[in-house]
Amino acid sequence: MARSFQELLAAARERIPEVSDGELQERVDGDDAPVIIDVREQHEWDEGHVPGAIHVPRGHLESRIAGVAGTGDEILLSCASGNRSLLGAVTLAEMGFENVSSLAGGFTRWKQNGHDYDVPRTLSPSQRSRYARHISIPEIGEEGQAKLLDSKALLIGAGGLGSPAALYLAAAGVGTIGLVDDDVVDASNLQRQIIHTTDRVGTLKGESARESLTALNPDVTVNVHPERVTSDNVLDLMADYDVVVDGADNFPTRYLLSDASLMTRTPLVHASILRFEGHASVFLPYEGPCYRCLFPEPPPPDMAPSCGEAGVLGVLCGVMGTIQANEAIKVLLGLGDTLSGRLLIYDALGMTFTELKVRRDPDCPACGPNAVLEFRDYEAWCAGGTAAHEEPREAVAAR
């Protein structure tokens, strides 16, 4: 004979320990806090939840639990009144989770007894539909998607690398995208710069890109900066952004961006392309190596031809620009292991990826303990000249 709901609850209480709101309050901000999982529905979660809780609706608990907790973790389930969490805890125990409990009285009692609670930023119904595949990933969820919508990414260049990077960042819902490019669309760009179209030849690349991005995702604000990056404007350009995506095609700009990244402590997502080969890395200021740890000095000019001189496979730009978008999203969300401390080399002809470890140089002239950062004449330096440093707008002692 099937058991009634009350009989199921009684059996669950005999098997699953219940934690009072007072007991949880004592631990919720401590190092020994359990993994708190709220199993209510979306509209209930939107009204507030226990600080630090992770939202996994009861109907998805079995399929998503592995993404948020291990079988040996201490897990506490919360719902509205404590009933759904008890039954969910029984399910987890039967799946092999060893230390599962339920919040007695649920969030209703937690709130009634005056404990602090978080109210998440909520997405509109249209945003929930657009970003549904992100929201269904436990590591992102609605909270992570809201964080992306509040994030700002600055792209240096709206060309071969900037095109795929910008498209995927916009599609992902990065709320503000800045495009720095003073060039116009040329027919020769269209073999690789997929954000532009034939009818926009002669248009400023930033404006052309903005048209594509806003058509793709109206949630995104696109700021066009129709200028070249220089030591006079780079700090102002970076000031309002959370991450910089380097799509530059020359060494002077790369070294300038590296120094400015350290000065502003802005993460820098790097990539470079030539013929059939691409490189990618992430530079997190003072947490990992910087660009000059990897390349202390620019190569001789005759050893560093431009893409215009040596050519580039169009689809290579898509691969490397997409990698940049992936790394930028990880930086913005604080997810996974970025390419910081690693150089990823892609060979399109051999279809191979090679990874090289990059260590922080203790004597790096840019990020080392005795370094003093100031802008220089990067054009002369990369051309093999010995020009003195420019009078810096800002000099920052590296710490």
Side-chain angles (χ1 to χ4, degrees):
M1 180 180 295
R3 291 186 293 176
S4 69
F5 181 69
Q6 294 303 323
E7 288 174 328
L8 289 172
L9 283 178
R13 285 195 170 93
E14 292 179 0
R15 184 173 180 182
I16 301 297
E18 293 186 278
V19 175
S20 72
D21 58 289
E23 292 173 314
L24 180 59
Q25 176 63 57
E26 292 178 359
R27 300 181 59 195
V28 73
D29 294 323
D31 295 335
D32 66 338
V35 178
I36 306 169
I37 299 176
D38 193 314
V39 299
R40 294 175 299 160
E41 297 303 312
Q42 184 68 53
H43 68 278
E44 298 174 288
W45 168 265
D46 292 344
E47 295 174 357
H49 56 79
V50 175
I54 302 168
H55 185 217
V56 183
R58 176 65 190 89
H60 299 283
L61 185 61
E62 291 89 340
S63 62
R64 296 185 185 177
I65 184 62
V68 297
T71 55
D73 292 334
E74 181 184 0
I75 301 171
L76 182 141
L77 298 189
S78 169
C79 66
S81 63
N83 293 340
R84 281 173 287 175
S85 56
L86 267 173
L87 297 177
V90 170
T91 299
L92 293 187
E94 292 174 347
M95 291 175 64
F97 289 84
E98 304 165 358
N99 189 358
V100 187
S101 59
S102 173
L103 178 61
F107 179 70
T108 299
R109 185 177 299 173
W110 176 273
K111 186 176 178 179
Q112 287 174 343
N113 288 342
H115 301 301
D116 291 337
Y117 60 93
D118 293 338
V119 178
R121 170 182 169 177
T122 59
L123 304 182
S124 68
S126 63
Q127 288 174 327
R128 287 200 179 114
S129 176
R130 176 180 286 270
Y131 306 116
R133 299 304 185 273
H134 273 178
I135 294 170
S136 64
I137 302 173
E139 292 86 351
I140 299 179
E142 187 158 340
E143 184 176 352
Q145 187 60 57
K147 188 173 183 179
L148 286 178
L149 287 164
D150 291 335
S151 297
K152 299 178 180 180
L154 181 68
L155 279 70
I156 308 301
L161 293 169
S163 289
L167 286 168
Y168 266 105
L169 290 175
V174 173
T176 301
I177 294 176
L179 300 169
V180 184
D181 202 314
D182 69 340
D183 201 2
V184 298
V185 180
D186 184 83
S188 65
N189 301 148
L190 302 179
Q191 160 257 10
R192 64 200 177 281
Q193 300 181 18
I194 58 173
I195 207 167
H196 309 300
T197 56
T198 301
D199 62 323
R200 296 185 208 150
V201 170
T203 304
L204 276 170
K205 286 185 178 179
E207 295 296 341
S208 171
R210 173 156 55 188
E211 186 173 342
S212 296
L213 297 180
T214 53
L216 174 64
N217 190 349
D219 280 344
V220 176
T221 298
V222 181
N223 299 326
V224 175
H225 305 280
E227 54 192 315
R228 282 193 173 277
V229 181
T230 69
S231 57
D232 291 325
N233 64 14
V234 66
L235 298 180
D236 292 334
L237 287 170
M238 284 190 178
D240 295 328
Y241 293 91
D242 304 308
V243 67
V244 175
V245 177
D246 172 16
D249 61 357
N250 62 84
F251 282 99
T253 302
R254 291 172 189 149
Y255 282 105
L256 168 64
L257 292 175
S258 176
D259 289 348
S261 165
L262 291 168
M263 290 179 182
T264 60
R265 294 181 179 267
T266 306
L268 180 64
V269 180
H270 164 76
S272 59
I273 48 176
L274 190 68
R275 301 191 70 205
F276 300 103
E277 185 172 289
H279 294 182
S281 190
V282 172
F283 304 112
L284 303 178
Y286 305 108
E287 295 181 25
C290 73
Y291 185 74
R292 290 183 67 183
C293 292
L294 181 61
F295 300 112
E297 300 288 335
D302 59 348
M303 296 294 291
S306 68
C307 290
E309 297 168 329
V312 61
L313 183 67
V315 72
L316 172 68
C317 305
V319 174
M320 302 311 297
T322 303
I323 288 173
Q324 285 185 287
N326 180 69
E327 293 301 294
I329 289 170
K330 285 159 59 181
V331 168
L332 292 171
L333 292 178
L335 287 179
D337 295 323
T338 70
L339 285 173
S340 176
R342 296 181 286 162
L343 178 67
L344 187 68
I345 302 173
Y346 171 57
D347 177 359
L349 280 184
M351 198 54 211
T352 59
F353 286 91
T354 303
E355 183 180 297
L356 302 179
K357 295 293 185 183
V358 181
R359 301 187 185 279
R360 190 172 175 188
D361 181 359
D363 299 317
C364 177
C367 71
N370 300 315
V372 176
L373 277 173
E374 58 184 24
F375 293 132
R376 63 169 70 204
D377 184 342
Y378 296 94
E379 295 284 350
W381 184 47
C382 292
T386 57
H389 289 187
E390 294 179 358
E391 188 66 26
R393 290 184 60 211
E394 182 172 334
V396 181
R399 291 184 289 276

